[in-house]
Structures are given as structure tokens and as C-alpha cells.
Amino acid sequence: MSAALELRGVGFNYLSRRGPVSALVGVDLTLAPSEFVCLLGPSGGGKSTLLALAAGLLAPTAGQVFAHGRPVPGPGVERGLVLQKHALFPWRTARGNVEFGPRLKGSSAPERRRCAEELLAAVGLPECADRYPSALSEGQRQRVALARALAGEPEILLMDEPFASLDALTRRQMQELLVAVWTQRRPSVLFVTHDVDEALTLGDRVAVLSACPGRILFTRGVPRPRDAAARLAPETAALRAECLSALGA
Amino acid sequence: MPSRFAANDPSPSPSESSRALVSLGSAAAALLVWEAAARSGVYPPHLFPPPSAVLRALVLDARSGELASDLAASGRRWSAGLALGSLCGAAAGLLTGAWRPARLAASPLLHFLRVVPFMMLMPLTLLWFGIGEESKILFAAWGAFFPVWLSTETAVFSVEREYVWAARTLGADGLRLWWEVYVPRSLPGTATGVRLAVSTSMFALAAAEMVGSFDGIAYRAFYCYQLFQSEKMMACIAAVGVCGYVADRIFAAAVRRLLPWQEPA
Amino acid sequence: MKTERDHLFLDFRADLHAGILTFYKTHPRKFALAAVLFLSVARALAGEKIPLVYAVPAAVPAALPLVAADRGFFREEGLDVRVAMFSSGREALQALLAGQAQIQSVSETPVVHAIVQGNAVVVVATVARHQEAKLILRSDRGILKPEDLRGKRIATLPGTNSDYFMYKFLAAHGMTPGDLKVANMSPPEMVAAYADGDIDGYFAWEPHIQFGLAAMPQSRVFYPGALYRGWMTVNMNPAYARAHPDTVRRIVRALIKAEAFIKAHKSQSLRIVARRLRMDDDVLRMVWDQNQYRVELDASLVDEMTEIGRWSLKLSKSDKPLPNFRQFIYAEPLRRERPKSVSL
């Protein structure tokens, strides 16, 4: 079975004010179907760039990005995206945001409405459908952003530090929600974060990206089950230490 | 507070009415100071008429119907010019804001034209377009164009990358992306520009009416100036000010209706 | 400081200099105050040169003040007069009313408007009789006689003598401005619009009529004739004039000198005025003889002003009373100078 997402020798250069910059060099990363992979990396590294390449929003300057063995031509609903900030369109209601993708596809109005309501219920916001993002809390907005990305029934979910700006309690709730949704729908998830604990809580695998120019330093499987006891297990602690030191903490 | 009011009491809360009182009070105080200064004899009354005389002239004008016809003549030109200028400005702003070649080609020229004072353009406009309605509407449109263009360009230029990325991953591209992301995101910026354009188009129109016109409120003000009728001239100015204020309030209310997602200021 | 010193006081002067320098160094502020006081007293005592601003419109009938300034006649009378040119008499009058000018010249119509609306202004003399307000019309576009003006587009500048002439002209042919499409424009723009075909004719003063004729040689020009007599007036603030009758007399004397000069040296006067007005010598020559350059106060001036005053009140739909224009003419200085010029 081919990988849901594969980055083969991906490199990305761009021109900044100071001259050419290599954001990523020789990145090899594979996501199996329904696999949950957390990408760890220092702030300012190439994490977001990697995600944009995976989504097809940017074209790599070296190497290729494949989805199910075929090269990725550009962005699409099969690779859903959830971002940290400016996630929702402020000029549309929560329902309008979730219906965005289906509307572009040409879904009929009742069909869209049903889908939106179902998804909003799945993320726990059935009563917020007609509210504008400015009237929602941060946590609620990220829920709607997740619902919007899921509306396209994506095979791959790309998430760029989506919970970084939430308070600790809300973050926990969001992590639980994400796991619940993932358990139900089983897309592949590439979850970018700088928080080691979050990575170890959520992911099946953890990949660590070095600082600029970014390359994958190593990937590790995360031991399961992920309960309170496992969290204190020595393997987890060792992995945690390894990740922290790789990040230069 | 809630206990003092019945469930469906339409009267404003005390803080709202006291706010209105403060605004009205300061305006009334200013008028009183003006009246006292004008009547004190320090300035000749015909160069500096008191508000009572201005109000009297205003009432006389209104009763004779002259005020209404002047305002109507100017109002037609102003609204047509504002609409035309705003549409062109918004379109130009969308183009130069999002498309780099357009920005490089057009922006310097537009910035150059933007700062030329209206009065300096009058002779040219008269020469090319004459003194008919079209030339006045064009001039008002010229006045409206630049604030709307500049604010739209800035708004489009600063559309956050995240919105564009999110929309693209949801299947939007090309013209669809434009319509679904760039236009809505820059509408508040355009609205601010139109709010400014409401007054700049009036300035331009007034310049046109004073230099060559058959009618209009600025024409009337100039006419009164020529005949040394200061109270009537100030009455015209006051009428324009009131209309401008009302237009602004209406516009602000319209923006609140049309762009309901804005966070309340 | 024009004080002269004798050689004998050289030592005293040296000591004085040293003393002043010390004072300047030790008490700079007091020194400055003392210097200002000293200078103003010295200036007041030094001479009778009173600085005055004379606001003049760029029009041919204002030749006398222009020649007087150019030939130094004001200076001969001990007056330091600076001529400020304005593109229209209305603006020159505004300068007088706002206190920026002490003397001013304009045709009589704007003065009447100003007086009717309650402004304080007084006429001390007239310096020309003119026929400068005219109508110029296209001879095509179906305008064969004045009555054909109905519905046509005509330009005028409200409040001016040519505007008044418009009303008189139309009334003489049984029309009112409501029968035409009347636009307000300033004369230079009128010429451009006329040449473009935007308007069918306009009421203005020279040289703008000449310019229009040059642009469209087949135009017809109508003179005011008996309908309107124009005077170029000399005006001042009443309080100032009555407080300084001597100054008014000197101004009048200087203007009378200019009158004599123009009579004796026509071509030289022409050149002076052409340069000041930035007009072509030839264009000026064509209109020069249409005016009579005399310092006078004629009895018919009051009648003309009264008639214009009545029209002004009607036009402004004002309920103000009609002023007695005789009270707004200060004839004493001219009467003292040259009694035969005053026939009021």
C-alpha cells in the first residue's frame, strides 16, 4: 500500500532580503494511511514551509512530494489544512466557513447545510453555526477550522501548530477532540508543533526537524497506550529527553 | 440599571443619553461663543455674521425653495460622482493591490495625480469637458477615486497569506479565489476609503461649481460671496456641512448592515 | 538712525558705543526692548512717509493709480504706497474690507453690493468713466438678434458691473436671466469656454472681450451705451478716511498729477499700464480711448449707485433698507483740491 504522503529529498530555497536562504534540505518523510505523525522543530525553522509543500501550496525547489504514489499538483481538499492564526474567514459565519469547500465543489444547498451541521456537532459546536468568528472564542474558532478542513473529507490532515495560541485547558480539550475525530474518521495527520509533550501525546510517530537549513534529524515511534502511566514510563521520558536535546533545549 | 426600566423600554440607557447631551452641549457652547464674538463688535458683522443671522438666512432659503433646488442639483452630481469614482477606485485598488505588474506600472502615476490640488486641474477640466453636468460628475468622481483606490490597494496588499492558503486548500483558485478571499477581506478597507471619498468628492465638486456652473450649492455660496451676502454664504456652508454629516451617518449605518462581521468599534 | 554727529563729539561717541555694547552683553532682553522703542520713536519723528497698500484690479480704467505709482507721484506727496494687483475688483474690495489695504479701486457695482449688505466703505473719488462692460455673442448658432438669446448658454461673473449690464441688457430686450442658461465663470475661463463653443456668449470687461474677439473674429460685441454708465471708484475705510483727511488729499493730488500726465504723455502711459496689466500694447491701444481718465465726483454717480442698489436688493431678496448713497461719498478732500471736479 503506497504512502498517503511522501516527501522525497525535498528542498526549498527562497530569496530573502539577506540573500538566498535554504529553508529545507534533503527532507525525506513518509506518512502511512491513517498514521498520526507529529513534526517537531524549533521556532522559525522550516516547519510551516514543509507543511505548505506537503499541501501543494508551494513547489519544492528540489525533490518531490507524492500522495498515494502520484506527484502532488497543487492544493486541494484531499489535503486539508488547519492553521494557527487567521484560520477562519471573518466575513463568513461558522456555518459559512464549513460550507466553503462544498460550496466551491458545487454541492447543493441542503446537502451543504446537512454536512456543516453534522461537522459542527462533531466538533461540539452545534449552536454556534450562525455566529461570526469575531463572536467566537479562540478554542471555538479552532474547532470550526477543524470542521472546515474535514468538510472536504480529506485523506491527509495538515495542521500547523493549531493549538499553540490556546490556554492549557482549552489545548487539552482540543487535543482530545482531535484524537476523537481522528479515531472516527482516520485520515493521515501531519501535526506540526514545537511542544514536545503535545507531540508525544498525540502522535504515533515523532519526526524532529533541525534548525535552518531544516532536515529530518530522526523519527521515532511513540509507545502506546498513551495513558497517564505510559506518560511516566522511562521509554517516554527517554524519548522526551532525546527530542528536547535535538531541539536544542 | 435593568431594574429601573420596563422589559421593552425603548428609551436609551442613561450613559447613552448623557453622551448625547455632552455632544450637543459642546456644540451649543461653541455656537454661543460664536454668537457672542460676532455681536461683540470686534469683527465687522458682514465679514463674521452671528449664527442667528445665518440661521435666519437658512430658513429664508429653505422657505423660498432655493435651498432645496441647489442641494438637489449638487446632490445629483455628488452622488453620481461618488458612485463612479468609488467603483473605479475599488477596481483599480484590487488590481494594483494584488497584481505586481499593475502596481509597478500604475502606482507612481496615480500617486502623482493624487496630490495635485483640485483647483489647479479646473482650467484643464473646463477646457476638455466644458461646464456641463458630465464635467462636474467627472470631477466629483476624480475626487472620490483616490481615497478609495489607495485604501483598497492597501487592504488588498495586506490580505493575510493564511486566508489565501486556506481558500486554496479548500479548492479556490484564480477568479474564484479573488472573489472569495481578496474582495471580502478588503471590503472594510474600501469602506473606509469611501467614507473619506464622501467628503473629497464634495470638495472637488465645490471647486467645479465655483469656477463654472449653472446651479448648485457651491455655486450659490460663490454667488453670495460675490454679492457680499455673508450670512447666506455661511448658510450654504452650514447646509453642506449638515448634509455631509447626515450622509456620513447613513453610510456608517449601511456599512454596519453590509459588513456585519466587523467587530463593533 | 539719521542723526548726524559733529566731530567734536567723537570721543563721546566712542564712549557711547562702548556703553551700548556692554549693555547689550549684560542685559540682552532689555536691550532689545529699548532698541524697538527707540526705532519706532525715531521712525515716527523721522518723516511723514506713511506706508499704505492700494489694492487695484487688473483692469484698464485703473490706469490713473497705476501711472501715479509708476511715476512716483505718491512718493512726491510723502506717501509710501504699495500697489497690490488683484485679478478682479471684487477681490481688491475684499482686501479693503479685511483691512489689508487702505485704499482700493473698483468699478462702482461691487461697492454698491458691499454698501447694501452693510459694509463700511466710502468713495473718495472716481478715476475713470468707462464702457468696459460688454457683451460678446456668437453670430452663428441662430443668434441673429438679442431676443434669440432665449435658452442659450451665457456666462457672467455675479456681482460685477458686467453682471449688472447683463440684467439691464436683457430687460431692455424684454428678457430676464431666467430665460437663458446663465453660468458663473471668471473672465479668463469665459474666453476659453467661448472659444471651445461651450457657451454662446458672455458678459465681461476688457480685455477679455478683445480676447474673445480674437478667438472668434465673427463675434458681435454690444456696448453698454445708455443702459449703464461705469465709473472706476477710489474707496477707503470711512473711519480711516475721516481721521486722516490730509492723507486723502495727498492721494487725490497724486491722482490728479497722473491725470495730467496721461493727457500729456499718452503713449508712455499706455506702455506703463500695458506692462502692469501684462497686456499686449496693441490690445490696450484698441480699448484705451473707450475710457475717460479724470479725477472727479459727478452728480450722476449717486443716481447710478442708487439704481444699482435697488437692483442689488431685489437680487439678494433682502429685506434690508436702501441706503442713501450720498452718505457713502466723502467729497471734501477732492472738493478742497479741485472744486470744479465735484458736482454732487
Side-chain angles (χ1 to χ4, degrees), chain B residues 46-47 56 66 123 126-127 129-132 209-214 219 222-223 225-229 231-232, chain C residues 90 93-94 97 110 113-114 117-119 153 157-159 167 181-185 189 196 198 315-317 319:
Chain B
H46 321 290
L47 293 180
R56 194 158 159 277
E66 190 177 72
L126 280 177
L127 218 58
F129 301 106
I131 55 173
E209 278 188 12
M210 288 172 82
V211 172
S213 180
F214 296 97
Y219 159 87
F222 178 69
Y223 190 91
Y225 169 73
Q226 286 291 107
L227 267 69
F228 293 90
Q229 293 180 284
E231 319 89 55
K232 245 185 124 177
Chain C
R90 163 75 178 86
L93 183 52
Q94 188 63 40
L97 294 173
H113 285 308
Q117 295 296 330
N119 289 283
R153 311 174 103 193
L157 187 58
Y167 281 82
K181 287 212 265 281
V182 181
N184 69 305
M185 297 174 87
E189 267 112 29
D196 258 359
D198 239 355
L315 200 64
S316 59
K317 297 187 199 118
D319 49 2

Side-chain angles (χ1 to χ4, degrees), chain C residues 129-303:
Chain C
R129 285 196 201 207
H130 62 76
Q131 288 260 299
E132 65 166 5
K134 297 179 193 136
L135 162 65
I136 181 168
L137 272 185
R138 296 176 73 112
S139 51
D140 56 357
R141 293 212 182 153
I143 309 175
L144 302 161
K145 48 191 200 307
E147 288 76 4
D148 295 330
L149 275 175
R150 256 177 236 274
K152 297 287 186 292
R153 311 174 103 193
I154 300 292
T156 180
L157 187 58
T160 58
N161 56 9
S162 47
D163 187 50
Y164 175 65
F165 172 47
M166 176 179 79
Y167 281 82
K168 300 283 291 192
F169 183 86
L170 291 174
H173 296 275
M175 292 187 281
T176 67
D179 297 323
L180 291 58
K181 287 212 265 281
V182 181
N184 69 305
M185 297 174 87
S186 78
E189 267 112 29
M190 286 181 202
V191 178
Y194 185 68
D196 258 359
D198 239 355
I199 50 176
D200 304 309
Y202 59 91
F203 289 86
W205 54 91
E206 294 291 8
H208 305 285
I209 302 287
Q210 285 301 318
F211 295 155
L213 204 52
M216 287 222 165
Q218 67 274 42
S219 310
R220 287 170 62 199
V221 177
F222 292 84
Y223 286 64
L227 288 174
Y228 161 64
R229 282 156 302 174
W231 278 275
M232 176 65 63
T233 59
V234 179
N235 314 301
M236 296 177 77
N237 180 280
Y240 181 90
R242 296 212 157 86
H244 303 86
D246 185 58
T247 309
V248 184
R249 272 190 78 173
R250 293 193 214 183
I251 293 167
V252 166
R253 259 206 298 272
L255 291 169
I256 288 174
K257 283 187 191 164
E259 180 192 321
F261 184 87
I262 283 183
K263 249 193 262 263
H265 306 96
K266 180 171 162 183
S267 38
Q268 200 177 354
S269 312
L270 258 158
R271 268 202 302 280
I272 293 170
V273 174
R275 194 183 56 240
R276 278 281 191 161
L277 298 184
R278 285 173 225 209
M279 269 175 76
D280 225 21
D281 273 21
D282 305 306
V283 179
L284 182 59
R285 221 182 299 273
M286 274 192 272
V287 301
W288 184 264
D289 290 321
Q290 290 169 14
N291 306 320
Q292 294 159 347
Y293 308 97
R294 285 205 286 273
V295 181
E296 60 179 348
L297 278 171
D298 192 76
S300 53
L301 175 66
V302 182
D303 301 326

Side-chain angles (χ1 to χ4, degrees), chain B residues 69-80:
Chain B
S69 71
D70 288 331
L71 283 173
S74 291
R76 277 195 300 269
R77 297 167 188 145
W78 167 77
S79 41

Side-chain angles (χ1 to χ4, degrees), chain A residues 95-107:
Chain A
R95 190 206 310 278
N97 267 280
V98 178
E99 284 184 9
F100 193 88
R103 187 165 52 84
L104 255 61
K105 260 231 199 94
S107 260

